Amino acid sequence: GTLRIRPGEKIPVDGNVIEGESYLDESMVTGEPMSQLKTVGDHLVGATINGNGSLLMKAVRVGDDTLLSHIVTMVAQAQRSRAPIQKLVDKVAGYFVPTVIGIAIITFLAWFFIGPEPSLAHAIINAVAVLIIACPCALGLATPMSIMVGTGRGAAHGVLIKNAEALEILEKVDTVVVDKTGTLTEGKPKLVSIESVDGFDKIELLTMSASLEKSSEHPLAGALLEAASEQGLELTSPKQFTSHTGQGISGEVNGKQVLLGNGALLSARGIDVSTIEARADTLREQGNTVILVSIDQQVAGMVSIADPIKNTSKQAIDSLHKKGIRVVMLTGDNQVNAQAVADVLGIDEVHAGVEPEQKNTLIKQLQDDGHIVAMAGDGINDAPALAQADIGIAMGTGTDVAVESAGITLVKGDLRGIVQAIQLSHATMKNIRQNLFFAFIYNSLGVPVAAGILYPFFGLLLSPMLAAAAMSLSSVSVIANALRLRALKL
């Protein structure tokens, strides 16, 4: 069928453009922060967002055949294929209960046949004492108390943990895989620098550029307009506005002829850009989109737009490295932008231009190599990888599908939350082991005493009342130890 896509609408199904052109926001699928120009013959992906243009498209894949449906299916498969962890307590409980019952029966028989008179009374009292002191209340409380306090502590710091399994796995993680757009970076293009040549003022350059962009439908126009608004600049509406497809825009602002675009646009109008081209190339190598500006046939400078790195990303990556954790970047963005971000942050390994299916495959490869992998992402394109990873970490600022696929959600969208989650995991698992030790040490010491092992030497027997008190004390010690997690500094 043929469908009309109006400005701002979501693309309903996968298909091809048969009429019109527009910029589309495909970041939810590709991870590319800059909107992509789509013209006749180009492929459209369902659920991506149309910009300001109007398109006529032909539906090619609908329903379960669309890319989005494939991604959802991959998420479900990855979630089903992951086997649940066999809890340590479950293993021990399988042996503990029959062992205690066996000890109680042996105690009863020993006291009944070889114990002093009244043998039946001694046999019943000591057997009951064994059963009471061995009551696995502390064993049952050891894990859930620590998990409850630990997850509560995490929630107070914006680290939401879906289940105990996530905490257990996170302690063993040795590789963290991160998406770039929206995870390491802000996920939205912003003006990062203005450079003017002699004779031109930076404020004038921004004012002229933003005024001309008022009439533009290009996605980068928003970055310039936002920067001008933040600085409180007064903009005017341009005259004789013209859009030069693939090159830039031109028009008259405050009586001056202004050109914004690439070197080809300015050179075609006889403007010499050789003085700034080298600097522009340097900025492009750093992952910036560079727009050259000329005013009245003279090169005036350039503006650089990029998806800026979050202020907290560097600190988070450094903290992960200190813990001996390797950091790998998987992104749908291009190699230049990805490498520029990786160089700044010190990321160990970079995979750029990666499709959602490839992210899934790369996670599997890391797991096959023996790594315990945590994946951090925020988009629909990250969802299959989040589900495939040993532990998925979603940015709370991301999509619902990503959050649903993850075991841990960072509410603030701050990558330092991964470091906090790992610290919390280590502290909680250590606390659980301490609790299990308390529970078992009480039983290891209490059961023989309750069975009467001290009677031949000291004439001491443990009454069921004292056994009950000792059992309660073990539960209290476990609870008190778990509550220490409330003081954990993250």
Side-chain angles (χ1 to χ4, degrees):
T2 304
L3 303 168
R4 171 68 67 181
I5 312 299
R6 296 183 178 85
E9 288 185 341
K10 282 188 177 181
I11 307 300
V13 294
D14 292 3
N16 298 320
V17 179
I18 56 176
E19 183 183 302
E21 66 176 41
S22 181
Y23 284 90
L24 262 70
D25 179 0
E26 295 185 326
S27 60
M28 62 186 295
V29 174
T30 64
E32 174 72 60
M34 305 295 184
S35 295
Q36 303 298 305
L37 178 63
K38 298 292 181 178
T39 58
V40 175
D42 287 341
H43 183 66
L44 301 177
V45 177
T48 54
I49 301 171
N50 186 24
N52 294 326
S54 180
L55 298 171
L56 195 64
M57 68 171 285
K58 181 180 180 181
V60 176
R61 289 195 293 267
V62 299
D64 293 339
D65 293 329
T66 63
L67 178 62
L68 184 62
S69 293
H70 285 166
I71 291 174
V72 171
T73 302
M74 288 166 65
V75 171
Q77 287 175 345
Q79 287 176 330
R80 284 195 298 268
S81 66
R82 186 165 59 198
I85 289 178
Q86 184 67 46
K87 302 289 190 293
L88 175 62
V89 178
D90 294 339
K91 288 181 180 178
V92 174
Y95 301 101
F96 181 79
V97 174
T99 300
V100 168
I101 292 173
I103 292 172
I105 292 171
I106 293 169
T107 301
F108 179 87
L109 295 175
W111 279 95
F112 184 76
F113 289 109
I114 60 175
E117 291 296 333
S119 60
L120 180 60
H122 278 113
I124 292 173
I125 288 172
N126 289 315
V128 169
V130 167
L131 290 173
I132 291 174
I133 204 166
C135 178
C137 295
L139 196 62
L141 287 169
T143 302
M145 275 302 300
S146 296
I147 294 295
M148 183 181 72
V149 178
T151 51
R153 188 65 182 155
H157 284 78
V159 180
L160 303 183
I161 296 153
K162 187 181 287 187
N163 51 46
E165 182 183 346
L167 267 181
E168 288 189 24
I169 299 172
L170 196 57
E171 183 197 28
K172 303 167 188 172
V173 164
D174 62 9
T175 303
V176 171
V177 176
V178 292
D179 175 49
K180 181 182 78 69
T181 307
T183 303
L184 295 171
T185 66
E186 299 285 353
K188 181 182 178 184
K190 287 188 177 181
L191 179 69
V192 291
S193 71
I194 306 171
E195 299 188 18
S196 60
V197 299
D198 293 340
F200 291 94
D201 179 65
K202 288 184 178 181
I203 296 298
E204 179 191 11
L205 201 67
L206 178 56
T207 303
M208 290 289 192
S209 301
S211 294
L212 187 58
E213 290 283 16
K214 281 181 69 176
S215 296
S216 173
E217 294 181 354
H218 196 281
L220 296 183
L224 287 172
L225 292 170
E226 184 180 344
S229 175
E230 288 174 356
Q231 296 193 29
L233 302 180
E234 189 174 333
L235 306 181
T236 58
S237 297
K239 298 177 181 177
Q240 300 173 357
F241 176 86
T242 307
S243 175
H244 308 275
T245 304
Q247 291 187 322
I249 55 176
S250 63
E252 183 182 314
V253 179
N254 295 334
K256 297 181 178 180
Q257 289 296 322
V258 182
L259 283 175
L260 264 71
N262 55 25
L265 177 67
L266 273 64
S267 297
R269 282 152 182 76
I271 300 169
D272 182 16
V273 296
S274 59
T275 54
I276 61 171
E277 195 60 46
R279 174 58 181 160
D281 287 340
T282 301
L283 290 169
R284 291 187 188 103
E285 288 170 5
Q286 295 172 359
N288 298 314
T289 298
V290 179
I291 302 174
L292 306 184
V293 184
S294 78
I295 300 175
D296 283 343
Q297 289 296 109
Q298 287 187 320
V299 63
M302 69 189 91
V303 292
S304 300
I305 295 173
D307 182 12
I309 297 170
K310 289 180 180 177
N311 296 330
T312 55
S313 293
K314 177 65 174 172
Q315 182 184 343
I317 300 298
D318 289 346
S319 297
L320 290 171
H321 282 152
K322 286 177 184 176
K323 293 181 181 295
I325 295 172
R326 193 164 66 110
V327 182
V328 179
M329 181 200 292
L330 298 185
T331 178
D333 206 348
N334 63 69
Q335 182 68 41
V336 173
N337 289 350
Q339 194 61 54
V341 172
D343 290 342
V344 171
L345 297 178
I347 288 171
D348 303 299
E349 190 178 326
V350 179
H351 297 272
V354 181
E355 298 294 329
E357 300 87 352
Q358 293 174 309
K359 286 188 179 184
N360 211 21
T361 304
L362 287 165
I363 295 286
K364 285 180 182 176
Q365 287 177 0
L366 288 169
Q367 291 170 327
D368 291 341
D369 291 339
H371 295 292
I372 306 297
V373 182
M375 166 74 188
D378 73 327
I380 288 178
N381 60 316
D382 300 318
L386 287 170
Q388 176 62 41
D390 295 287
I391 179 70
I393 302 171
M395 301 292 122
T397 51
T399 61
D400 291 342
V401 175
V403 171
E404 186 62 32
S405 302
I408 293 175
T409 302
L410 307 180
V411 174
K412 300 171 186 173
D414 185 341
L415 210 58
R416 288 178 301 181
I418 295 180
V419 181
Q420 292 177 324
I422 291 172
Q423 288 175 338
L424 182 66
S425 171
H426 281 276
T428 304
M429 295 311 298
K430 180 181 178 181
N431 193 269
I432 288 173
R433 292 186 189 102
Q434 291 169 347
N435 284 346
L436 293 174
F437 174 77
F438 284 135
F440 284 119
I441 204 71
Y442 270 106
N443 286 323
S444 299
L445 296 176
V447 168
V449 172
I453 198 170
L454 297 179
Y455 186 79
F457 307 103
F458 305 105
L460 294 177
L461 287 174
L462 188 66
S463 76
M465 287 186 294
L466 289 176
M471 181 270 292
S472 300
L473 191 61
S474 69
S475 298
V476 170
S477 66
V478 163
I479 293 169
N481 186 55
L483 290 175
R484 289 192 309 113
L485 283 173
R486 293 195 302 179
L488 179 67
K489 291 184 179 180
L490 293 176

